[in-house]
mmCIF file with all atom_site columns, all heavy atoms in Angstrom:
data_model
loop_
_atom_site.group_PDB
_atom_site.id
_atom_site.type_symbol
_atom_site.label_atom_id
_atom_site.label_alt_id
_atom_site.label_comp_id
_atom_site.label_asym_id
_atom_site.label_entity_id
_atom_site.label_seq_id
_atom_site.pdbx_PDB_ins_code
_atom_site.Cartn_x
_atom_site.Cartn_y
_atom_site.Cartn_z
_atom_site.occupancy
_atom_site.B_iso_or_equiv
_atom_site.pdbx_formal_charge
_atom_site.auth_seq_id
_atom_site.auth_comp_id
_atom_site.auth_asym_id
_atom_site.auth_atom_id
_atom_site.pdbx_PDB_model_num
ATOM 1   N N   . CYS A 1 13  ? 108.282 112.166 92.214  1.00 0.00 ? 31  CYS A N   1
ATOM 2   C CA  . CYS A 1 13  ? 107.581 112.683 93.373  1.00 0.00 ? 31  CYS A CA  1
ATOM 3   C C   . CYS A 1 13  ? 108.656 113.522 94.181  1.00 0.00 ? 31  CYS A C   1
ATOM 4   O O   . CYS A 1 13  ? 109.706 113.076 94.367  1.00 0.00 ? 31  CYS A O   1
ATOM 5   C CB  . CYS A 1 13  ? 107.037 111.609 94.210  1.00 0.00 ? 31  CYS A CB  1
ATOM 6   S SG  . CYS A 1 13  ? 105.848 110.613 93.339  1.00 0.00 ? 31  CYS A SG  1
ATOM 7   N N   . HIS A 1 15  ? 107.433 115.046 97.212  1.00 0.00 ? 33  HIS A N   1
ATOM 8   C CA  . HIS A 1 15  ? 106.799 115.237 98.520  1.00 0.00 ? 33  HIS A CA  1
ATOM 9   C C   . HIS A 1 15  ? 106.799 113.969 99.348  1.00 0.00 ? 33  HIS A C   1
ATOM 10  O O   . HIS A 1 15  ? 106.173 113.895 100.386 1.00 0.00 ? 33  HIS A O   1
ATOM 11  C CB  . HIS A 1 15  ? 105.355 115.728 98.369  1.00 0.00 ? 33  HIS A CB  1
ATOM 12  C CG  . HIS A 1 15  ? 105.251 117.009 97.630  1.00 0.00 ? 33  HIS A CG  1
ATOM 13  N ND1 . HIS A 1 15  ? 105.784 118.194 98.182  1.00 0.00 ? 33  HIS A ND1 1
ATOM 14  C CD2 . HIS A 1 15  ? 104.739 117.313 96.494  1.00 0.00 ? 33  HIS A CD2 1
ATOM 15  C CE1 . HIS A 1 15  ? 105.541 119.166 97.311  1.00 0.00 ? 33  HIS A CE1 1
ATOM 16  N NE2 . HIS A 1 15  ? 104.932 118.695 96.290  1.00 0.00 ? 33  HIS A NE2 1
ATOM 17  N N   . LYS A 1 27  ? 98.273  98.198  97.377  1.00 0.00 ? 45  LYS A N   1
ATOM 18  C CA  . LYS A 1 27  ? 96.780  98.099  97.577  1.00 0.00 ? 45  LYS A CA  1
ATOM 19  C C   . LYS A 1 27  ? 96.512  97.305  98.864  1.00 0.00 ? 45  LYS A C   1
ATOM 20  O O   . LYS A 1 27  ? 97.057  96.259  99.144  1.00 0.00 ? 45  LYS A O   1
ATOM 21  C CB  . LYS A 1 27  ? 96.142  97.445  96.380  1.00 0.00 ? 45  LYS A CB  1
ATOM 22  C CG  . LYS A 1 27  ? 94.713  97.857  96.253  1.00 0.00 ? 45  LYS A CG  1
ATOM 23  C CD  . LYS A 1 27  ? 94.177  97.763  94.801  1.00 0.00 ? 45  LYS A CD  1
ATOM 24  C CE  . LYS A 1 27  ? 92.737  97.632  94.630  1.00 0.00 ? 45  LYS A CE  1
ATOM 25  N NZ  . LYS A 1 27  ? 91.880  98.416  95.534  1.00 0.00 ? 45  LYS A NZ  1
ATOM 26  N N   . TYR A 1 50  ? 84.863  103.686 87.517  1.00 0.00 ? 68  TYR A N   1
ATOM 27  C CA  . TYR A 1 50  ? 84.004  104.101 86.396  1.00 0.00 ? 68  TYR A CA  1
ATOM 28  C C   . TYR A 1 50  ? 83.830  105.635 86.490  1.00 0.00 ? 68  TYR A C   1
ATOM 29  O O   . TYR A 1 50  ? 83.354  106.154 87.512  1.00 0.00 ? 68  TYR A O   1
ATOM 30  C CB  . TYR A 1 50  ? 82.685  103.462 86.440  1.00 0.00 ? 68  TYR A CB  1
ATOM 31  C CG  . TYR A 1 50  ? 81.601  104.113 85.552  1.00 0.00 ? 68  TYR A CG  1
ATOM 32  C CD1 . TYR A 1 50  ? 81.668  104.164 84.213  1.00 0.00 ? 68  TYR A CD1 1
ATOM 33  C CD2 . TYR A 1 50  ? 80.465  104.667 86.197  1.00 0.00 ? 68  TYR A CD2 1
ATOM 34  C CE1 . TYR A 1 50  ? 80.714  104.824 83.476  1.00 0.00 ? 68  TYR A CE1 1
ATOM 35  C CE2 . TYR A 1 50  ? 79.500  105.233 85.407  1.00 0.00 ? 68  TYR A CE2 1
ATOM 36  C CZ  . TYR A 1 50  ? 79.611  105.267 84.075  1.00 0.00 ? 68  TYR A CZ  1
ATOM 37  O OH  . TYR A 1 50  ? 78.623  105.894 83.314  1.00 0.00 ? 68  TYR A OH  1
ATOM 38  N N   . SER A 1 71  ? 74.946  97.046  82.983  1.00 0.00 ? 89  SER A N   1
ATOM 39  C CA  . SER A 1 71  ? 73.629  97.152  82.203  1.00 0.00 ? 89  SER A CA  1
ATOM 40  C C   . SER A 1 71  ? 73.304  98.674  82.174  1.00 0.00 ? 89  SER A C   1
ATOM 41  O O   . SER A 1 71  ? 73.876  99.435  82.965  1.00 0.00 ? 89  SER A O   1
ATOM 42  C CB  . SER A 1 71  ? 72.575  96.384  82.899  1.00 0.00 ? 89  SER A CB  1
ATOM 43  O OG  . SER A 1 71  ? 72.427  96.816  84.233  1.00 0.00 ? 89  SER A OG  1
ATOM 44  N N   . GLU A 1 104 ? 97.191  96.325  89.978  1.00 0.00 ? 122 GLU A N   1
ATOM 45  C CA  . GLU A 1 104 ? 97.794  95.445  88.965  1.00 0.00 ? 122 GLU A CA  1
ATOM 46  C C   . GLU A 1 104 ? 98.862  94.655  89.686  1.00 0.00 ? 122 GLU A C   1
ATOM 47  O O   . GLU A 1 104 ? 99.571  95.172  90.567  1.00 0.00 ? 122 GLU A O   1
ATOM 48  C CB  . GLU A 1 104 ? 98.457  96.346  87.912  1.00 0.00 ? 122 GLU A CB  1
ATOM 49  C CG  . GLU A 1 104 ? 98.604  95.589  86.516  1.00 0.00 ? 122 GLU A CG  1
ATOM 50  C CD  . GLU A 1 104 ? 99.149  96.567  85.490  1.00 0.00 ? 122 GLU A CD  1
ATOM 51  O OE1 . GLU A 1 104 ? 98.705  97.685  85.433  1.00 0.00 ? 122 GLU A OE1 1
ATOM 52  O OE2 . GLU A 1 104 ? 100.051 96.110  84.802  1.00 0.00 ? 122 GLU A OE2 1
ATOM 53  N N   . VAL A 1 108 ? 108.543 91.419  92.403  1.00 0.00 ? 126 VAL A N   1
ATOM 54  C CA  . VAL A 1 108 ? 109.614 92.326  92.823  1.00 0.00 ? 126 VAL A CA  1
ATOM 55  C C   . VAL A 1 108 ? 110.499 92.650  91.592  1.00 0.00 ? 126 VAL A C   1
ATOM 56  O O   . VAL A 1 108 ? 110.808 93.823  91.379  1.00 0.00 ? 126 VAL A O   1
ATOM 57  C CB  . VAL A 1 108 ? 110.463 91.628  93.885  1.00 0.00 ? 126 VAL A CB  1
ATOM 58  C CG1 . VAL A 1 108 ? 111.768 92.463  94.121  1.00 0.00 ? 126 VAL A CG1 1
ATOM 59  C CG2 . VAL A 1 108 ? 109.701 91.566  95.186  1.00 0.00 ? 126 VAL A CG2 1
ATOM 60  N N   . ASP A 1 178 ? 115.906 103.675 104.660 1.00 0.00 ? 196 ASP A N   1
ATOM 61  C CA  . ASP A 1 178 ? 116.645 104.943 104.997 1.00 0.00 ? 196 ASP A CA  1
ATOM 62  C C   . ASP A 1 178 ? 115.847 105.869 105.858 1.00 0.00 ? 196 ASP A C   1
ATOM 63  O O   . ASP A 1 178 ? 116.360 106.579 106.602 1.00 0.00 ? 196 ASP A O   1
ATOM 64  C CB  . ASP A 1 178 ? 117.064 105.579 103.664 1.00 0.00 ? 196 ASP A CB  1
ATOM 65  C CG  . ASP A 1 178 ? 118.024 104.621 102.909 1.00 0.00 ? 196 ASP A CG  1
ATOM 66  O OD1 . ASP A 1 178 ? 119.183 104.683 103.176 1.00 0.00 ? 196 ASP A OD1 1
ATOM 67  O OD2 . ASP A 1 178 ? 117.491 103.824 102.126 1.00 0.00 ? 196 ASP A OD2 1
ATOM 68  N N   . ASP A 1 256 ? 90.700  117.891 99.697  1.00 0.00 ? 274 ASP A N   1
ATOM 69  C CA  . ASP A 1 256 ? 89.634  116.998 99.286  1.00 0.00 ? 274 ASP A CA  1
ATOM 70  C C   . ASP A 1 256 ? 89.811  116.434 97.905  1.00 0.00 ? 274 ASP A C   1
ATOM 71  O O   . ASP A 1 256 ? 88.891  116.042 97.156  1.00 0.00 ? 274 ASP A O   1
ATOM 72  C CB  . ASP A 1 256 ? 88.290  117.647 99.365  1.00 0.00 ? 274 ASP A CB  1
ATOM 73  C CG  . ASP A 1 256 ? 88.137  118.868 98.490  1.00 0.00 ? 274 ASP A CG  1
ATOM 74  O OD1 . ASP A 1 256 ? 89.081  119.128 97.740  1.00 0.00 ? 274 ASP A OD1 1
ATOM 75  O OD2 . ASP A 1 256 ? 87.025  119.463 98.465  1.00 0.00 ? 274 ASP A OD2 1
ATOM 76  N N   . ALA A 1 271 ? 84.211  112.146 103.939 1.00 0.00 ? 289 ALA A N   1
ATOM 77  C CA  . ALA A 1 271 ? 84.893  113.307 104.557 1.00 0.00 ? 289 ALA A CA  1
ATOM 78  C C   . ALA A 1 271 ? 84.084  114.582 104.365 1.00 0.00 ? 289 ALA A C   1
ATOM 79  O O   . ALA A 1 271 ? 84.592  115.693 104.592 1.00 0.00 ? 289 ALA A O   1
ATOM 80  C CB  . ALA A 1 271 ? 86.259  113.452 103.958 1.00 0.00 ? 289 ALA A CB  1
ATOM 81  N N   . PHE A 1 274 ? 84.503  117.876 106.514 1.00 0.00 ? 292 PHE A N   1
ATOM 82  C CA  . PHE A 1 274 ? 85.903  118.087 107.076 1.00 0.00 ? 292 PHE A CA  1
ATOM 83  C C   . PHE A 1 274 ? 86.491  119.320 106.315 1.00 0.00 ? 292 PHE A C   1
ATOM 84  O O   . PHE A 1 274 ? 86.153  119.636 105.207 1.00 0.00 ? 292 PHE A O   1
ATOM 85  C CB  . PHE A 1 274 ? 86.842  116.862 106.728 1.00 0.00 ? 292 PHE A CB  1
ATOM 86  C CG  . PHE A 1 274 ? 86.647  115.744 107.615 1.00 0.00 ? 292 PHE A CG  1
ATOM 87  C CD1 . PHE A 1 274 ? 86.599  114.463 107.167 1.00 0.00 ? 292 PHE A CD1 1
ATOM 88  C CD2 . PHE A 1 274 ? 86.456  115.918 109.011 1.00 0.00 ? 292 PHE A CD2 1
ATOM 89  C CE1 . PHE A 1 274 ? 86.356  113.315 107.995 1.00 0.00 ? 292 PHE A CE1 1
ATOM 90  C CE2 . PHE A 1 274 ? 86.235  114.806 109.857 1.00 0.00 ? 292 PHE A CE2 1
ATOM 91  C CZ  . PHE A 1 274 ? 86.246  113.514 109.312 1.00 0.00 ? 292 PHE A CZ  1
ATOM 92  N N   . LYS A 1 286 ? 103.104 124.992 113.424 1.00 0.00 ? 304 LYS A N   1
ATOM 93  C CA  . LYS A 1 286 ? 104.483 124.872 112.966 1.00 0.00 ? 304 LYS A CA  1
ATOM 94  C C   . LYS A 1 286 ? 105.428 125.572 114.002 1.00 0.00 ? 304 LYS A C   1
ATOM 95  O O   . LYS A 1 286 ? 106.492 124.997 114.338 1.00 0.00 ? 304 LYS A O   1
ATOM 96  C CB  . LYS A 1 286 ? 104.567 125.572 111.596 1.00 0.00 ? 304 LYS A CB  1
ATOM 97  C CG  . LYS A 1 286 ? 105.954 125.537 110.942 1.00 0.00 ? 304 LYS A CG  1
ATOM 98  C CD  . LYS A 1 286 ? 105.853 126.092 109.513 1.00 0.00 ? 304 LYS A CD  1
ATOM 99  C CE  . LYS A 1 286 ? 107.175 125.962 108.758 1.00 0.00 ? 304 LYS A CE  1
ATOM 100 N NZ  . LYS A 1 286 ? 108.123 127.069 108.941 1.00 0.00 ? 304 LYS A NZ  1
ATOM 101 N N   . ALA A 1 288 ? 104.946 126.006 117.113 1.00 0.00 ? 306 ALA A N   1
ATOM 102 C CA  . ALA A 1 288 ? 105.079 125.240 118.356 1.00 0.00 ? 306 ALA A CA  1
ATOM 103 C C   . ALA A 1 288 ? 106.083 124.155 118.250 1.00 0.00 ? 306 ALA A C   1
ATOM 104 O O   . ALA A 1 288 ? 106.809 123.955 119.256 1.00 0.00 ? 306 ALA A O   1
ATOM 105 C CB  . ALA A 1 288 ? 103.677 124.714 118.772 1.00 0.00 ? 306 ALA A CB  1
#
Side-chain angles (χ1 to χ4, degrees):
C31 300
H33 300 296
K45 204 153 161 37
Y68 163 65
S89 56
E122 204 177 317
V126 168
D196 297 273
D274 64 0
F292 284 137
K304 182 172 185 273

